[in-house]
Amino acid sequence: MADVRLEQVTRRFGSVVAVNNVDLHIKDKEFMVFLGPSGCGKTTTLRSIAGLEKIDQGRIFLGERDVTELPPGQRGIGMVFQSYALFPHMTIADNIGFGLKIKKVPASVMAERVNRVAQLLYLDNLLHRYPGQLSGGQRQRVAVARALVIEPAVLLMDEPLSNLDALLRLQMRAELKKLHHAINATTIYVTHDQVEALSLGDRIAVMKDGQIVQCDVPMEIYDKPANVFVGSFIGNPPMNFIRGEIMRENGQLLIKGRGFSITPSTRFTPILQGRSEIILGIRPENFRVQFHEPTDTTNAVRASVEVVELLGNIRLLTIDLSGSILKVSVEPHTAVNPGENVWLTWNEDKLCFYDSETEWAITPSRVSA
Ligand code: ATP
């Protein structure tokens, strides 16, 4: 078993709390992604698991072992970093085998293991070359091979694709996913790229200010962000947030905001009643856009199109709703021009509700680290 448990882990640098009381359980063979903006503590959390940072508080377990005080070499962890720093004067075979050599693994065993991972990563024809004779993607694969050859129970990767161009990133992303299925090591992957996180993670831990804000499967994080920060960070363009006041008219609850008034169905009453204000969250693709005034205008919101952008697979509309700017995506062949009036409706099942002060979701929290 190579599950990884963090119990109340804290790491400080002077007055900066880089990792703040983090509790997390990463399951055996799971692909966990740490996602968050620059400086939120992803790398420090990863380095703490590796033993490269001495934590100020808490415990770290790999399987049954408490590794908190163990040096990195004794933790059974493989690491791939953004700067993969291969030895330029060594062949690819020697670079890959380096970790085994310092562990004094016999030469025949070493050769067999180097060949095995080289095949897995399509490097078997390049073993005699030097790093300077490889492309960026090939060098990246060598860095992964070097980490895998020690047969780690846990593989840590810190932004391993960030030095690659967009196309190569895309290819390597798919290869890493395939590789994870082939080797089945518990993997922790750091990135600030939300697409990479959605694509690779079995679960994503979204971090902010040294804490895990939400930890869940990608679809839950996308559909039900735990707070406004997560909804803004994940999704391109991000989730739209609209503030509205909650009122009661003729016994019915209404949400009234700048330029709109809607009557939510009664199933939302438990969420809404007792509040004076709310933030509605809705993804750009969850609006329905009509270009003529609908016969039934209940819950149809009139707004005007400001900008139309063709992004290939969608047409992205920037819509002005009485001063609030919304991003709305429509089918790419939709005929629409700036200046047109539209009527927006949405599927209530796709609406998220946030507390207007704390900005946390009002529906039951999904934080389940
Ligand atoms: P990035 O995506 O930019 O790499 P990150 O989420 O990985 O960011 P960390 O590198 O973990 O963030 O840094 C978390 C916080 O700790 C930041 O405020 C950073 O400045 C601080 N920090 C990290 N390492 C050190 C250090 N060695 N000395 C002082 N402060 C540090």
Side-chain angles (χ1 to χ4, degrees):
M1 279 287 279
D3 58 329
V4 179
R5 266 185 305 132
L6 278 68
E7 290 184 359
Q8 300 183 340
V9 169
T10 294
R11 173 66 169 126
R12 296 187 195 91
F13 296 104
S15 61
V16 175
V17 188
V19 183
N20 190 356
N21 207 22
V22 165
D23 281 307
L24 182 64
H25 183 194
I26 300 159
K27 296 173 215 143
D28 185 35
K29 302 185 173 53
E30 187 172 28
F31 198 122
M32 171 65 82
V33 177
F34 291 167
L35 174 71
S38 181
C40 70
K42 308 178 294 292
T43 295
T44 309
T45 309
L46 198 76
R47 287 173 56 83
S48 301
I49 296 169
L52 298 170
E53 296 290 346
K54 192 159 170 41
I55 58 177
D56 295 290
Q57 179 201 301
R59 311 299 308 169
I60 298 174
F61 296 87
L62 299 189
E64 295 304 309
R65 287 188 306 150
D66 181 342
V67 300
T68 315
E69 308 298 336
L70 280 188
Q74 289 177 28
R75 294 195 181 194
I77 283 177
M79 282 172 280
V80 184
F81 293 106
Q82 178 180 353
S83 58
Y84 27 84
L86 304 178
F87 299 116
H89 57 285
M90 284 188 194
T91 63
I92 299 308
D94 288 345
N95 264 285
I96 297 176
F98 185 74
L100 298 176
K101 194 169 173 188
I102 54 174
K103 284 190 168 175
K104 301 200 168 31
V105 171
S108 59
V109 177
M110 188 163 101
E112 193 265 320
R113 278 166 67 173
V114 167
N115 281 325
R116 190 148 30 100
V117 291
Q119 267 176 20
L120 200 60
L121 285 149
Y122 316 109
L123 292 165
D124 37 338
N125 293 328
L126 306 173
L127 288 173
H128 59 284
R129 290 207 201 164
Y130 289 85
Q133 297 170 315
L134 300 191
S135 70
Q138 289 166 335
R139 273 190 287 230
Q140 185 57 57
R141 289 207 295 268
V142 177
V144 176
R146 190 174 53 177
L148 286 185
V149 80
I150 61 165
E151 298 180 354
V154 178
L155 182 62
L156 307 182
M157 300 201 219
D158 191 354
E159 307 248 10
L161 308 185
S162 54
N163 287 337
L164 307 179
D165 66 44
L167 187 59
L168 212 47
R169 273 181 91 114
L170 203 68
Q171 288 168 356
M172 276 300 291
R173 201 170 76 198
E175 284 182 21
L176 285 181
K177 200 155 182 163
K178 228 163 54 184
L179 188 71
H180 178 67
H181 288 298
I183 61 165
N184 258 325
T186 307
T187 302
I188 310 175
Y189 186 99
V190 162
T191 183
H192 59 263
D193 180 334
Q194 44 109 15
V195 177
E196 222 163 85
L198 290 169
S199 127
L200 285 171
D202 290 325
R203 281 192 301 160
I204 302 172
V206 185
M207 294 189 72
K208 183 174 185 253
D209 300 334
Q211 293 182 315
I212 294 176
V213 182
Q214 186 172 14
C215 181
D216 214 325
V217 296
M219 211 61 243
E220 278 294 304
I221 293 210
Y222 185 82
D223 282 343
K224 296 180 187 145
N227 63 15
V228 168
F229 163 76
V230 177
S232 310
F233 193 76
I234 295 192
N236 184 19
M239 186 173 245
N240 295 287
F241 295 100
I242 312 168
R243 277 183 185 266
E245 280 181 63
I246 300 170
M247 305 194 160
R248 195 174 271 277
E249 267 181 29
N250 305 326
Q252 212 160 28
L253 286 178
L254 302 180
I255 304 177
K256 281 192 175 181
R258 281 203 297 202
F260 74 95
S261 170
I262 56 168
T263 311
S265 43
T266 50
R267 66 192 160 110
F268 296 112
T269 305
I271 288 175
L272 300 174
Q273 70 184 357
R275 294 173 183 274
S276 55
E277 211 190 350
I278 194 118
I279 302 173
L280 299 173
I282 184 157
R283 293 271 177 212
E285 64 275 21
N286 290 334
F287 286 98
R288 180 160 175 247
V289 183
Q290 289 166 276
F291 297 93
H292 300 287
E293 185 167 352
T295 38
D296 178 8
T297 55
T298 322
N299 289 353
V301 173
R302 186 166 183 258
S304 70
V305 177
E306 287 215 317
V307 182
V308 179
E309 294 168 85
L310 177 63
L311 303 183
N313 56 341
I314 58 161
R315 209 170 268 270
L316 182 65
L317 312 182
T318 302
I319 289 187
D320 182 349
L321 172 61
S322 300
S324 305
I325 297 301
L326 303 178
K327 296 287 186 184
V328 175
S329 60
V330 292
E331 202 266 325
H333 299 287
T334 310
V336 52
N337 292 303
E340 270 184 57
N341 280 325
V342 289
W343 282 261
L344 302 175
T345 49
W346 49 73
N347 177 348
E348 277 192 334
D349 292 334
K350 300 285 186 183
L351 272 185
C352 297
F353 295 89
Y354 297 92
D355 184 286
S356 60
E357 281 175 19
T358 65
E359 301 195 342
W360 279 84
I362 298 172
T363 39
S365 166
R366 300 298 307 182
V367 182
S368 58

Coordinates of all heavy atoms in Angstrom, one line a residue, residues 7-12 19-22 54-60 68:
E7 N -1.1 14.9 8.0 CA -2.0 15.2 9.1 C -1.5 16.5 9.7 O -0.4 16.6 10.2 CB -1.8 14.1 10.2 CG -2.5 12.8 9.8 CD -2.5 11.8 10.9 OE1 -1.9 12.0 11.9 OE2 -3.0 10.7 10.6
Q8 N -2.3 17.5 9.5 CA -2.1 18.9 10.1 C -0.7 19.4 9.8 O 0.0 19.9 10.6 CB -2.3 18.9 11.6 CG -3.7 18.4 11.9 CD -4.0 18.4 13.4 OE1 -3.1 18.4 14.3 NE2 -5.2 18.5 13.8
V9 N -0.3 19.3 8.5 CA 1.1 19.7 8.1 C 1.2 21.2 7.9 O 0.4 21.8 7.2 CB 1.5 18.9 6.8 CG1 2.8 19.5 6.2 CG2 1.6 17.4 7.0
T10 N 2.2 21.8 8.6 CA 2.4 23.2 8.4 C 3.9 23.4 8.1 O 4.8 22.7 8.7 CB 2.1 23.9 9.8 OG1 0.7 23.8 10.0 CG2 2.4 25.4 9.7
R11 N 4.2 24.3 7.2 CA 5.6 24.7 6.9 C 5.6 26.2 6.8 O 4.8 26.8 6.0 CB 6.0 24.0 5.6 CG 7.4 24.5 5.1 CD 8.5 24.1 6.0 NE 9.8 24.3 5.4 CZ 10.8 25.0 6.0 NH1 10.6 25.5 7.2 NH2 12.0 25.1 5.5
R12 N 6.5 26.8 7.6 CA 6.6 28.3 7.6 C 7.9 28.7 7.1 O 8.9 28.0 7.3 CB 6.5 28.8 9.0 CG 5.1 28.6 9.6 CD 5.0 29.3 11.0 NE 3.9 28.8 11.7 CZ 3.9 27.8 12.6 NH1 5.1 27.2 12.8 NH2 2.8 27.3 13.1
V19 N 2.5 26.3 4.0 CA 1.5 25.2 4.1 C 0.9 25.3 5.4 O 1.6 25.4 6.4 CB 2.2 23.8 3.9 CG1 1.2 22.7 4.0 CG2 3.1 23.8 2.7
N20 N -0.4 25.4 5.4 CA -1.1 25.8 6.6 C -2.1 24.7 7.1 O -3.2 24.6 6.6 CB -1.9 27.2 6.4 CG -2.4 27.8 7.6 OD1 -2.3 27.2 8.7 ND2 -3.0 28.9 7.5
N21 N -1.6 23.9 8.0 CA -2.4 22.9 8.7 C -3.2 22.0 7.7 O -4.4 21.8 7.8 CB -3.4 23.7 9.5 CG -3.9 22.9 10.7 OD1 -3.2 21.9 11.1 ND2 -5.0 23.2 11.3
V22 N -2.4 21.4 6.8 CA -3.1 20.6 5.7 C -3.3 19.2 6.1 O -2.4 18.5 6.6 CB -2.2 20.7 4.4 CG1 -2.6 19.6 3.4 CG2 -2.3 22.1 3.8
K54 N 11.7 20.4 5.8 CA 11.4 19.9 7.2 C 10.1 20.7 7.7 O 10.1 21.9 7.7 CB 12.6 20.2 8.1 CG 12.5 19.5 9.4 CD 13.9 19.4 10.0 CE 13.8 18.9 11.5 NZ 12.8 17.8 11.7
I55 N 9.1 19.9 8.0 CA 7.8 20.6 8.3 C 7.9 21.1 9.8 O 8.6 20.5 10.6 CB 6.6 19.7 8.1 CG1 6.7 18.4 8.9 CG2 6.4 19.5 6.6 CD1 5.5 17.5 8.7
D56 N 7.2 22.1 10.1 CA 7.2 22.7 11.4 C 6.2 22.0 12.3 O 6.3 22.1 13.6 CB 6.8 24.2 11.3 CG 7.9 25.0 10.6 OD1 9.0 25.1 11.1 OD2 7.6 25.4 9.4
Q57 N 5.2 21.4 11.7 CA 4.1 20.8 12.5 C 3.4 19.7 11.7 O 3.4 19.8 10.5 CB 3.1 21.9 12.9 CG 1.9 21.4 13.7 CD 0.8 22.4 13.5 OE1 0.9 23.6 13.8 NE2 -0.4 21.9 13.0
G58 N 2.9 18.7 12.3 CA 2.2 17.6 11.7 C 3.0 16.4 11.4 O 4.1 16.3 11.8
R59 N 2.3 15.4 10.8 CA 3.0 14.1 10.5 C 2.7 13.8 9.0 O 1.6 14.2 8.4 CB 2.4 13.0 11.3 CG 2.3 13.1 12.8 CD 3.6 13.4 13.5 NE 4.7 12.5 13.3 CZ 6.0 12.7 13.7 NH1 6.2 13.9 14.3 NH2 6.9 11.9 13.5
I60 N 3.6 13.0 8.4 CA 3.4 12.5 7.0 C 3.6 11.0 7.0 O 4.6 10.5 7.6 CB 4.4 13.2 6.0 CG1 4.1 14.7 6.0 CG2 4.2 12.6 4.6 CD1 5.1 15.5 5.2
T68 N 7.9 11.2 8.7 CA 8.1 12.7 9.0 C 9.6 13.0 9.2 O 10.0 14.0 8.7 CB 7.2 13.1 10.2 OG1 5.9 12.5 10.1 CG2 7.2 14.6 10.4

